[in-house]
Amino acid sequence: MFIRGRRLRQNENIRNLVEETSISVNDLIMPIFLMDGKNKSEKIDSMPGIFRKTLDEQLKDIDSAINLGINALIIFPSINEKLKDSLGKEALNKKGLVPKAISIIKKKFPRILVITDVALDPYNSDGHDGVLKDGEILNDKTVEILCRQACIHAEFGADIVAPSDMMDGRVAKIREALDRKGFLNTAIMSYAAKFASSLYGPFREALNSKPKVGDKKSYQINPKNYREAIKEVLLDEAEGADLLIVKPASLYLDVIKTSSEASVLPIIAYQVSGEYSMIKSAAQKGYIDNDSVMRESLESMKRAGATAIITYFALEMAKLLKN
Ligand code: PBG
C-alpha cells in the first residue's frame, strides 16, 4: 500500500478545497518614487515599468491603486543632488519633498495608509543611511536625526514610519520621540532583518543613492547569517515596533518563516528592486510568464508567513486579482 497524494489534486474543486495560501489586494503595499517638480515622469531603466514621478503624476497612480483596492503605499524620494550634504539635513526640511507629499496625499486620499522610509541615504551626499565620519557610520548621532525625521513625517500625517537604516536602538528611540510629541497612533514598521544584499542595485539607481564610499556591511546584516537576523527581529519587537520587515524576500524565505513563528507581530516581506527586475526582464525576453511568476513569487512569501508584501508589482498584481 502507498499513499495516493494525487487524490487531492485530481480536479480543480478538490485542489481549491485544500489550497493553503491565498493572496489578496489587502496584502499589497505599493512603493512610489517621487521627485520634485510638476508634470514629469521618468523611466527607471533598471526597473522596467516603474517610473520616478512628480507628485501630481503620482496622484494619478495612487487614484488607480485605490480604485483597485490597494490600501497602503510607501514613499521613496529622489532628492536633488544640490540639496544633499554629509548630515542629510534635507531629511529634516519641513518644506521638503516628503512632508509636502504626505500632506497632499492624505488630504486627497484620507484613507490610504501612507508609510515613509526613515533613513538618510536619499539625502546624504555619501549615500549612506547614517552619518559618516572618518570612515565610520555614527550610530547614536544618526538615531537622533532619524527621531526628528520620523516626527516630521508623523506631523505631516504619515500613518506608519519605516526606519530602514539598521542603526542600533533606533526603534525604541523613535517610539519615545513620537510618544513625547503626542504621535501615539503613528505606527513603526521597522526594517528588522535587512540584509546587505546585492539586490538593491536598481533602487539605488532610481534614487541615485548608491554609497559613494564603502558599503553598508557595517549596519546591514550579512546575507549568510540567519541567527543574527532573528536576533534583530526579536530586538525590534522588544523595542516597540508594530510591524517588522524582512528584506529582501525571495532569497530569505527562511528568515520570513522563522520570524513569523518567533514574533507575534505582522511580518512584512519586501520584494526589493532586484527581485522585481529579475522577474520583469526575464518575462520581457519571453523566458518566463510575467503574471504567473509574479503571482508565484508573492504567494511564496505569504506561504512562508508574511502578512503583507511591499512590492513593485503592487499595481499589476492588484489588476490581476481584480480579473
Ligand atoms: C534605504 C533603502 C533601500 C531600499 C529601501 N530603503 C536601499 C538600501 O538600503 O541601500 C531598497 C529597496 C529596493 O531595493 O527595492 N534606506
Side-chain angles (χ1 to χ4, degrees):
M1 215 271 282
F2 57 88
I3 304 292
R4 293 190 184 273
R6 289 184 56 202
R7 246 181 241 129
L8 296 182
R9 295 177 218 132
Q10 63 185 305
N11 61 52
E12 198 175 346
N13 279 356
I14 201 158
R15 286 194 294 271
N16 287 345
L17 185 75
V18 300
E19 198 161 275
E20 299 173 35
T21 304
S22 63
I23 186 159
S24 92
V25 69
N26 289 330
D27 303 326
L28 304 173
I29 300 170
M30 178 173 82
I32 61 170
F33 290 122
L34 202 58
M35 63 181 180
D36 210 10
K38 264 206 161 72
N39 229 323
K40 273 195 295 195
S41 168
E42 290 172 3
K43 217 152 90 192
I44 298 166
D45 289 335
S46 54
M47 300 180 73
I50 302 293
F51 296 80
R52 213 174 12 242
K53 296 180 179 180
T54 51
L55 184 61
D56 52 334
E57 294 294 318
Q58 282 296 5
L59 290 172
K60 298 177 194 161
D61 280 6
I62 298 171
D63 192 44
S64 344
I66 291 172
N67 286 327
L68 289 164
I70 290 178
N71 302 316
L73 59 86
I74 181 163
I75 301 175
F76 295 107
S78 170
I79 301 295
N80 192 316
E81 288 303 314
K82 281 185 256 155
L83 297 174
K84 298 187 183 182
D85 62 28
S86 62
L87 288 173
K89 280 203 276 308
E90 180 62 16
L92 303 180
N93 178 3
K94 291 192 181 185
K95 297 202 175 95
L97 191 53
V98 171
K100 206 161 54 190
I102 307 168
S103 58
I104 292 173
I105 294 169
K106 287 303 283 189
K107 199 154 157 206
K108 193 143 195 248
F109 307 109
R111 282 157 52 91
I112 191 137
L113 295 172
V114 171
I115 308 170
T116 57
D117 195 71
V118 174
L120 299 183
D121 53 322
Y123 310 94
N124 181 324
S125 44
D126 302 304
H128 277 286
D129 293 33
V131 176
L132 180 72
K133 193 163 177 240
D134 305 327
E136 196 193 330
I137 302 292
L138 302 179
N139 192 89
D140 300 9
K141 171 81 190 153
T142 301
V143 172
E144 267 172 44
I145 303 175
L146 298 178
C147 286
R148 294 169 59 196
Q149 185 185 23
C151 286
I152 292 170
H153 294 173
E155 179 186 334
F156 281 81
D159 299 281
I160 303 177
V161 292
S164 66
D165 55 291
M166 290 300 283
M167 296 301 116
D168 290 327
R170 91 282 204 214
V171 172
K173 290 286 186 199
I174 290 174
R175 183 71 272 157
E176 224 176 271
L178 289 170
D179 288 354
R180 207 177 320 117
K181 294 230 153 116
F183 301 119
L184 303 181
N185 290 327
T186 309
I188 298 178
M189 180 164 100
S190 78
Y191 289 70
K194 177 170 180 180
F195 290 89
S197 168
S198 299
L199 291 167
Y200 309 145
F203 175 97
R204 292 177 189 168
E205 191 192 308
L207 299 187
N208 196 17
S209 63
K210 206 165 87 196
K212 304 272 188 308
V213 277
D215 52 40
K216 300 193 174 184
K217 289 180 187 166
S218 80
Y219 43 107
Q220 300 179 347
I221 306 169
N222 182 344
K224 300 185 185 81
N225 289 0
Y226 160 84
R227 297 170 62 80
E228 188 183 351
I230 305 307
K231 170 181 153 193
E232 291 287 348
V233 162
L234 295 176
L235 271 173
D236 282 8
E237 176 171 33
E239 286 185 29
D242 300 284
L243 312 99
L244 302 168
I245 301 177
V246 175
K247 170 188 177 186
S250 7
L251 302 186
Y252 299 85
L253 293 177
D254 53 338
V255 178
I256 293 177
K257 172 84 178 151
T258 305
S259 300
S260 73
E261 289 163 357
S263 164
V264 292
L265 300 183
I267 302 298
I268 313 301
Y270 194 150
Q271 182 180 49
V272 301
S273 56
E275 299 176 75
Y276 169 84
S277 297
M278 285 195 290
I279 295 174
K280 250 307 167 226
S281 54
Q284 285 188 337
K285 289 203 156 171
Y287 298 159
I288 57 176
D289 177 66
N290 185 77
D291 288 1
S292 49
V293 177
M294 163 176 76
R295 181 185 269 278
E296 188 174 330
S297 70
L298 298 171
E299 283 170 347
S300 73
M301 294 160 202
K302 294 271 322 202
R303 190 191 65 236
T307 307
I309 306 166
I310 303 170
T311 172
Y312 301 98
F313 282 119
L315 263 184
E316 248 185 289
M317 187 64 196
K319 278 183 204 147
L320 188 71
L321 287 166
K322 195 147 198 176
N323 297 325

